[in-house]
Amino acid sequence: MAKYLKYPYGALSGERHYGKIRPKIIAEEYLVDHSHPNAALDDYKFYCFDGVPTYCFITKNRILNTHKIQLMMYDMDWTPLRSSFIDSSRLAEIPRPSAFEEMKSIAAKLSEGIKFVRVDLYEVDGKVKFSEMTFTPGMDAGFNEEFLLEMGKKIDLK
């Protein structure tokens, strides 16, 4: 653990602001969806603007330590936004989670008063679990420039 506390994450990730945060080791509950115990959890990433969840980016069937993954972006009516990606080879229609309305409510509450944040949640055994809030999400999903500009216009910098 001492090695990880000294790791210069901010400098090596290109996210220098993390370099100003004092590193800590946090132990948390290991989450397993008992209906699929050997699979990585589906990750629901809500892009929120001023407390309004606007998009839900889902990653599914992630194979750890690889770029093999299924993904899709949805609006809040669960309409797939296939055209938001550069490459469609990893896209997959993903069923709407049973707790989607609860997830939207949680994302709205957590993002209230914040100009932009991505709120990440899981649905585990039918219950919503918090993952993280990300203020500078990476763009490894392969969103196209038009979609990124659309998202950028939603951030009120006043």
Side-chain angles (χ1 to χ4, degrees):
M1 285 192 211
K3 173 184 167 187
Y4 289 106
L5 288 171
K6 292 178 184 172
Y7 185 80
Y9 179 80
L12 295 176
S13 69
E15 299 170 295
R16 300 183 70 125
H17 52 283
Y18 285 121
K20 302 207 181 277
I21 298 171
R22 188 172 147 240
K24 295 180 182 178
I25 302 290
I26 300 171
E28 54 189 18
E29 176 186 5
Y30 181 74
L31 300 176
V32 175
D33 186 336
H34 290 93
S35 62
H36 302 95
N38 295 320
L41 296 174
D42 297 346
D43 202 349
Y44 299 89
K45 302 167 182 284
F46 288 83
Y47 286 74
C48 302
F49 304 87
D50 287 315
V52 179
T54 306
Y55 304 109
C56 183
F57 174 58
I58 299 99
T59 61
K60 185 176 184 65
N61 296 327
R62 179 187 304 263
I63 298 175
L64 297 178
N65 301 317
T66 74
H67 291 286
K68 295 183 185 207
I69 192 169
Q70 291 178 315
L71 42 88
M72 183 58 75
M73 179 70 81
Y74 287 89
D75 66 14
M76 294 297 98
D77 294 321
W78 207 254
T79 303
L81 304 174
R82 300 180 76 80
S83 64
S84 59
F85 296 92
I86 295 169
D87 173 18
S88 63
S89 65
R90 299 184 300 169
L91 301 185
E93 298 281 330
I94 297 168
R96 180 182 173 129
S98 60
F100 185 64
E101 293 303 318
E102 182 183 1
M103 290 175 160
K104 286 195 311 189
S105 176
I106 290 169
K109 286 176 187 168
L110 290 174
S111 64
E112 191 174 318
I114 302 171
K115 296 211 178 268
F116 170 77
V117 66
R118 193 187 75 202
V119 177
D120 298 0
L121 304 169
Y122 299 115
E123 184 181 50
V124 179
D125 297 328
K127 294 185 174 103
V128 178
K129 299 287 186 172
F130 175 76
S131 173
E132 65 180 336
M133 293 173 69
T134 304
F135 296 90
T136 56
M139 291 297 131
D140 61 342
F143 300 135
N144 62 40
E145 184 176 352
E146 182 180 5
F147 186 69
L148 291 172
L149 288 170
E150 178 183 321
M151 279 201 290
K153 288 177 184 173
K154 295 185 182 309
I155 302 172
D156 182 3
L157 298 176
K158 296 176 198 160

